[in-house]
């Protein structure tokens, strides 16, 4: 699925440069479930941005399949995101003015899906995360766990190759945490997609097939080994 | 999706939508009202001018007054001691003068043909503006009563002559304007703004004859009718027609209209005119014709277009006009700019507040174009909403003005005056033996009326103005949307992952 070779990412902050990722080598197979662990500021989100075609590496190559993401323009990157990548965020990132149903539909808007199909698919996605009876609710009318389920439905509705989740349980209580991870695991198993979850929660990390540790931008430990 | 998202944003962020829309609405309403007032005032001005210069007169040519030409300096009447006729101890004098109107300079009528030959001129006609003044005086007859002339002797018998029978005197001045116009020439000039109410108009056959057409207001006040006579410059004219100013403003070109040739002869102004009325071949090239005429005629002549003449309109109409044109214009520009700025600031700050929202949309694959379109769509709809509210408010304001129908007074500097003044010499003091305190001149009726026309202000609403208002509202939305969209386009999709907690 992914092949990262010698990847570095530096951010410029005025005169200072911060190396968020340094010389990262990583391959991720199709259908893998990987947890990315590490302390705050370790470069987990930066790695996820590169995997998610949100940003380009400063050095090295990031291949998604055989597509070199570093060589794509911003329109093409947007297209990759629209078609192949599903995102789940720590703070859900739902559009506050749109209903659950409409939030899920936003993921299909750039794909040019006709309105009726769009509505049916969004509804089906919400049903698959157990929210078939909440389609008309605004995010503010839903609990945190329910909001994250809507976000997962939004990420899944396009039937992506990869599901990227950045601290998906970071804003949730323990019971809900288990629910959400269970849901993600179920999706991964049923759909055969590649699941990459960033977390500093070792309980969550231990559900994954493989764990990648990031410390000060570098991968530590036996990252390449499959569990 | 676009429509749903747009609607949700506008409805769920009502406060933002309303503030931007109301700001825009105020500006649009103001623009609408100011524009309409300017239009209404312009129309009223045209009415005021039309009644004086006639319909279709694009340009007037007059001669600039120089000190040497001035025929001003007041009216003088001289009476010999034996003149007038005496009845019952009172000597009555009448004197009549027919002169060129004060402040007006005549020039050779050859200028008319020079003007007519100038390229771009469709027609030209010359007129001669005159003023007829009748002076009537009544004084006690010399020799009646006391033996001394021109004074009262203390202790003498009280005088008995004079109009009041007590030795007083009375003087009356009556004046009216007379316009000599070319009855054979082109149909332009003051009379084109008038309709015949009785009798007939002057025709080419009347040239040089002693026939007159009266303005209906003057005819009423002077109690003249068709078939009657009127004395102009001591000559008796037959009244053949009465005309009424179509402008319904009360202002008219003149009180009495007579054939030009007759007027020239009577006023001893043979071959002279006081103004030339010019109709341009094309209404679009009046400025060009003015320049050509000025060049041909030289600097001694004054060439005025209707626009130049508009500045001669005085009174509250003049004030309204300058208000609408200067203050109103600047105020609209200012308020419009403020509304645009408000819309831009609100849109940009809205986009900033929604950084994570747009970052998320970019992260899930929305293109910049789609996001910019969404932001621009929101501001354009806010602008249009403001435009519609503003249009409604503006139209209601205009409707209110049109229902109230305020009247404005308009004076035109060059309009003829009807002067009816009089002086009554009071009787000397009742106490015999004292020094005569008489002769305290009381102004009996000294109302000098300038042609002040009452013009009701009607505010027009044209499709063009409505279009302008809506166009401005859309423009405001587009400007705000452009700024907001530019701002949204610059957001990095990675912003979505920024932790906010
Ligand atoms: N846009 C940015 N500009 C500057 N520095 C950044 C930016 N994003 C991340 N960083 C820096 O890069 C490092 C890694 O950040 P991040 O990938 O967010 O870590 P994590 O998600 O593991 O907490 C941190 O030092 C952070 O301050
Ligand atoms: Mg992070």
């Amino acid at each position: 699925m992914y092949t990262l070779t010698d990847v570095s990412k530096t951010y410029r902050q005025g005169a200072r440069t911060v190396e968020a990722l340094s010389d990262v080598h990583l391959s991720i197979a199709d259908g893998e479930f990987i947890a990315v662990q590490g302390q705050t500021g370790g470069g987990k989100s930066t790695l996820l941005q590169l995997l998610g075609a949100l940003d380009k590496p400063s050095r090295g190559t990031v291949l998604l399949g055989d597509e070199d993401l570093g060589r794509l323009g911003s329109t093409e990157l947007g297209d990759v995101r629209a078609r192949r990548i599903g995102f789940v965020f720590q703070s859900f990132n739902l559009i506050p003015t749109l209903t659950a149903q409409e939030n899920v539909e936003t993921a299909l808007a750039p794909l040019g899906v006709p309105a009726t199909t769009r509505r049916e698919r969004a509804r089906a996605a919400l049903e698959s995360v157990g929210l078939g009876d909440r389609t008309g609710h605004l995010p503010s009318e839903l609990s945190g766990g329910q909001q994250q389920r809507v976000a997962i439905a939004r990420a899944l509705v396009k039937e992506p190759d990869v599901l990227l989740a950045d601290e998906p349980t970071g804003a949730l209580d323990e019971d809900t945490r288990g629910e959400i991870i269970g849901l993600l695991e179920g999706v991964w198993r049923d759909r055969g997609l590649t699941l990459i979850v960033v977390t500093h929660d070792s309980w969550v990390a231990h559900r994954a097939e493989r764990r990648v540790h990031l410390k000060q931008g570098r991968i530590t430990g036996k990252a390449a080994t499959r569990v | 999706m676009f429509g749903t998202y747009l609607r949700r944003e506008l409805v769920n962020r009502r406060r933002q939508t309303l503030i931007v829309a109301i700001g825009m609405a105020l500006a649009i309403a103001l623009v609408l009202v100011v524009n309409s007032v300017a239009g209404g005032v312009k129309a009223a001005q045209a009415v005021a001018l039309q009644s004086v210069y006639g319909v279709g007169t694009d340009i007037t040519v007059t001669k600039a007054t120089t000190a040497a030409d001035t025929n001003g300096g007041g009216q003088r009447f001289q009476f010999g001691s034996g003149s007038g006729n005496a009845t019952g101890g009172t000597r009555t004098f009448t004197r009549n003068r027919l002169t060129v109107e004060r402040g007006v300079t005549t020039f050779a009528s050859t200028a008319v043909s020079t003007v007519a030959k100038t390229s771009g001129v469709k027609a030209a006609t010359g007129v001669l503006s005159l003023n007829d003044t009748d002076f009537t005086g009544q004084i006690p007859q010399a020799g009646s009563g006391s033996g001394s002339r021109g004074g009262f002797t203390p202790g003498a018998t009280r005088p008995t002559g004079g109009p009041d029978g007590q030795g007083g005197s009375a003087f009356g001045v009556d004046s009216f304007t007379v316009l000599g116009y070319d009855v054979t020439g082109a149909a332009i000039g003051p009379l084109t703004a008038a309709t015949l109410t009785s009798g007939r108009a002057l025709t080419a056959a009347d040239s040089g004859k002693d026939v007159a057409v009266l303005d209906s207001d003057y005819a009423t006040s002077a109690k003249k009718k068709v078939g009657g006579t009127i004395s102009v410059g001591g000559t008796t004219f037959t009244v053949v027609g009465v005309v009424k100013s179509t402008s319904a403003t009360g202002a008219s070109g003149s009180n009495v209209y007579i054939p030009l040739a007759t007027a020239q002869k009577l006023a001893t102004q043979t071959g002279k005119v006081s103004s030339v009325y010019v109709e341009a071949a094309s209404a679009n090239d009046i400025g060009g014709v003015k320049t050509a005429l000025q060049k041909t005629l030289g600097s001694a002549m004054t060439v005025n277009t209707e626009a130049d003449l508009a500045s001669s309109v005085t009174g509250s109409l003049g004030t309204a006009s300058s208000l609408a044109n200067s203050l109103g214009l600047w105020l609209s520009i200012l308020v419009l700019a403020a509304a645009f700025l408000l819309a831009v600031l609100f849109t940009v700050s809205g986009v900033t507040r929604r950084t994570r929202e747009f970052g998320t949309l970019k992260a899930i694959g929305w293109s910049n174009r789609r996001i910019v379109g969404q932001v621009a769509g929101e501001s354009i709809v806010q602008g249009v909403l403001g435009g519609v509210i503003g249009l409604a408010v503006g139209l209601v304001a205009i409707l209110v003005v049109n229902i109230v129908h305020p009247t404005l007074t308009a004076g035109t500097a060059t309009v003829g005056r009807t002067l009816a003044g009089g002086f009554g010499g009071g009787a000397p003091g009742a106490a015999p033996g004292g020094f005569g305190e008489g002769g305290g001149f009381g102004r009996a009726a000294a109302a000098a009326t300038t042609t002040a026309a009452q013009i009701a202000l009607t505010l027009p609403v044209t499709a063009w103005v409505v279009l302008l208002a809506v166009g401005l509202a859309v423009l405001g939305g587009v400007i705000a949307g452009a700024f907001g969209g530019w701002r949204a386009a610059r957001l990095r999709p990675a912003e979505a992952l920024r932790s906010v907690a």
Side-chain angles (χ1 to χ4, degrees), chain A residues 40-41 44-46 90 166-167 198, chain B residues 497 499:
Chain A
T40 303
K44 304 185 294 293
S45 296
T46 303
Q90 179 176 355
D166 194 357
E167 312 262 13
V198 164
Chain B
L497 291 176
S499 52

Side-chain angles (χ1 to χ4, degrees), chain A residues 66-77:
Chain A
D66 47 14
E67 236 170 350
D68 186 348
L69 297 183
R71 288 177 184 277
L72 300 181
S74 58
T75 314
E76 293 156 314
L77 285 177

Side-chain angles (χ1 to χ4, degrees), chain B residues 76-101:
Chain B
R76 277 180 73 85
F77 295 95
Q78 272 159 10
F79 302 93
S81 61
S83 58
N85 34 26
T87 44
T90 305
R91 187 178 291 277
T92 304
F93 298 89
T94 50
R95 277 297 178 274
N96 173 276
R97 279 169 53 106
L98 182 66
T99 54
V100 174
E101 263 201 79

Side-chain angles (χ1 to χ4, degrees), chain B residues 5-374:
Chain B
Y5 192 12
L6 184 71
R7 207 175 58 237
R8 294 278 188 227
E9 281 300 318
L10 294 177
V11 172
N12 289 313
R13 297 184 203 273
R14 265 178 238 105
R15 216 161 55 105
Q16 151 119 5
T17 303
L18 275 182
I19 290 174
V20 172
I22 285 171
M24 200 65 82
L26 283 178
I28 296 305
L30 190 74
V31 166
L32 203 65
V33 170
V34 165
N35 210 301
S36 188
V37 166
V41 165
K42 205 171 161 207
Q45 251 176 352
V47 165
L49 287 172
Q50 221 173 59
S51 56
V52 180
Y53 299 100
V55 179
T57 300
D58 299 314
I59 294 171
T60 61
V61 176
T62 49
K63 189 169 186 200
T65 311
T66 60
D69 314 304
T70 312
N71 60 37
Q75 307 262 12
R76 277 180 73 85
F77 295 95
Q78 272 159 10
F79 302 93
S81 61
S83 58
N85 34 26
T87 44
T90 305
R91 187 178 291 277
T92 304
F93 298 89
T94 50
R95 277 297 178 274
N96 173 276
R97 279 169 53 106
L98 182 66
T99 54
V100 174
E101 263 201 79
R102 274 176 86 172
V104 170
T105 309
T106 57
F107 49 93
S109 60
T110 49
V112 180
S113 49
T114 310
V115 167
K117 271 183 253 154
T118 306
S119 81
V121 171
K122 188 179 169 201
T125 189
V127 298
L128 184 61
S129 302
L130 302 171
N131 210 309
D132 183 290
T133 315
D134 284 304
F135 183 94
T136 341
Q138 288 181 309
I139 58 164
Q141 198 180 347
S144 76
S146 98
S148 59
R149 277 172 59 188
F152 301 106
T153 319
T157 326
R158 279 174 74 176
T160 52
D164 57 356
Q166 295 185 344
S169 325
F171 302 95
V173 181
D174 182 37
S175 115
F176 56 87
T177 54
V178 178
L179 188 81
Y181 75 99
D182 189 358
V183 291
T184 62
I188 48 174
L191 270 182
T192 52
T195 49
L196 201 62
T197 55
S198 66
R200 63 173 180 86
L202 298 182
T203 65
D206 294 317
S207 185
K209 299 236 176 78
D210 297 338
V211 285
V213 166
L214 306 188
D215 173 66
S216 66
D217 287 346
Y218 178 72
T220 309
S221 69
K223 299 186 181 67
K224 304 278 187 198
K225 278 204 178 77
V226 172
T229 60
I230 180 169
S231 170
V232 178
T235 304
T236 304
F237 278 68
T238 308
V239 177
V240 297
V242 172
V243 292
K244 183 162 180 55
S245 178
T246 44
S247 56
T249 61
S252 59
S254 182
N255 301 132
V256 177
Y257 300 90
I258 60 174
L260 179 62
T262 316
Q264 286 170 333
K265 193 174 69 199
L266 268 179
T268 59
Q269 292 283 342
T270 316
K272 302 266 183 139
V273 291
S274 58
S275 358
V276 180
Y277 290 110
V278 185
E279 186 183 358
S282 154
N284 301 323
D285 193 31
I286 291 171
V289 175
K290 175 186 170 165
T291 312
L293 285 175
Q294 193 73 71
K295 208 170 143 201
T296 316
L297 297 168
S299 61
M301 305 299 282
T302 305
V303 181
N304 279 319
T305 63
E306 189 169 347
D308 300 332
L309 297 170
S311 61
S312 72
V313 174
T314 58
S316 55
L317 178 57
T319 313
S321 162
S322 51
L323 273 180
N325 287 327
S326 54
L327 186 67
L329 181 71
W330 284 112
L331 196 66
S332 333
I333 290 175
L334 204 76
V335 172
L336 207 59
F340 281 15
L341 191 70
L342 185 83
V344 168
L345 290 180
F346 265 79
T347 307
V348 168
S349 84
V351 169
T352 308
R353 228 176 323 111
R354 289 160 71 189
T355 296
R356 196 151 62 93
E357 179 174 331
F358 292 130
T360 305
L361 289 172
K362 285 188 183 188
I364 65 173
W366 279 44
S367 64
N368 262 337
R369 233 186 58 204
R370 188 177 288 272
I371 287 171
V372 169
Q374 201 72 43

